[in-house]
Amino acid sequence: MDQVKTGELIRHMRVQLGLTQKQLAERINVSDKAVSKWECGNGCPDISLLGELARVFGTEVGVLLSGEIDKNESEKGDMKKIRFYVCKDCGNIVTATSDAAVTCCGSRLYALEARKADPDEQLNIQDIGGEWYITSDHEMTKQHYISFAAYVSDSSATIFRQYPEWSLQIHLPMCRSGRLVWYCAKCGLLYQDIPRS
């Protein structure tokens, strides 16, 4: 931990919240002199205080330790750059339009890398009068199944949760071109593009 960088970050976050040194000190049960010492780079918070300090600032302990806030470059709302994070323990699905620090069930999650589905892996898409009917011949057992499918366009993402022993059947209003993305418990994240009708 770089005391100076961490101190500058604590000061920045405190000011952003509109807190005085005394108010911050009261929230984490230390003296305002301790907060002043940290902000001047003449010391750093005890490790036992980092969790509470992170909670007050709405950040993570790792951010306080590094002394830096990594800002994502603006994605300009392009949903086609959406990232999917899936917890292997509980099946939780998290999405973000930029890189994110995501944890679930005590583990750090990393954005999944989607690969283009081979022809024999692709989902079946039928036009049924202004609606797409999407199905799959994919195995749907407790060990090998598609846990979600998503339709992603440049301005929206719609996620359809799936469960073992269901047969994948999705009705989707026909709209402009987009991408189907799905996650298989064994095969990972796959995609196929839907051409403009």
Side-chain angles (χ1 to χ4, degrees), residues 159-192:
I159 298 175
F160 301 89
R161 184 73 154 138
Q162 302 294 299
Y163 295 93
E165 300 168 358
W166 283 16
S167 60
L168 187 136
Q169 296 180 32
I170 297 170
H171 290 268
L172 183 67
M174 192 176 285
C175 36
R176 58 190 173 275
S177 62
R179 176 171 282 183
L180 282 174
V181 180
W182 64 97
Y183 178 74
C184 169
K186 278 190 177 179
C187 308
L189 193 67
L190 296 103
Y191 75 89
Q192 77 188 67

Side-chain angles (χ1 to χ4, degrees), residues 1-11 13-14 38 44-46 49-69:
M1 176 189 309
D2 182 324
Q3 291 180 177
V4 174
K5 284 171 67 175
T6 297
E8 288 172 357
L9 181 62
I10 289 171
R11 181 183 181 287
M13 291 180 149
R14 176 182 62 76
W38 304 337
C44 55
D46 185 87
L49 297 172
L50 291 177
E52 185 61 19
L53 203 52
R55 189 194 61 73
V56 168
F57 291 142
T59 190
E60 294 182 357
V61 170
V63 171
L64 294 173
L65 290 172
S66 72
E68 295 178 353
I69 299 173

Side-chain angles (χ1 to χ4, degrees), residues 81-117:
K81 295 182 180 176
I82 194 168
R83 289 147 176 91
F84 292 92
Y85 301 79
V86 177
C87 178
K88 295 216 181 253
D89 293 326
C90 71
N92 193 12
I93 304 163
V94 180
T95 62
T97 56
S98 296
D99 286 330
V102 179
T103 59
C104 190
C105 296
S107 299
R108 171 90 190 256
L109 304 183
Y110 295 93
L112 299 170
E113 291 290 327
R115 71 171 174 82
K116 188 170 186 174

Side-chain angles (χ1 to χ4, degrees), residues 8-41:
E8 288 172 357
L9 181 62
I10 289 171
R11 181 183 181 287
H12 171 77
M13 291 180 149
R14 176 182 62 76
V15 170
Q16 289 288 102
L17 287 176
L19 298 174
T20 64
Q21 288 181 343
K22 184 172 182 169
Q23 290 169 325
L24 175 60
E26 288 171 355
R27 287 194 182 186
I28 59 173
N29 296 318
V30 297
S31 71
D32 57 341
K33 289 184 169 111
V35 174
S36 176
K37 182 177 169 183
W38 304 337
E39 291 184 359
C40 292

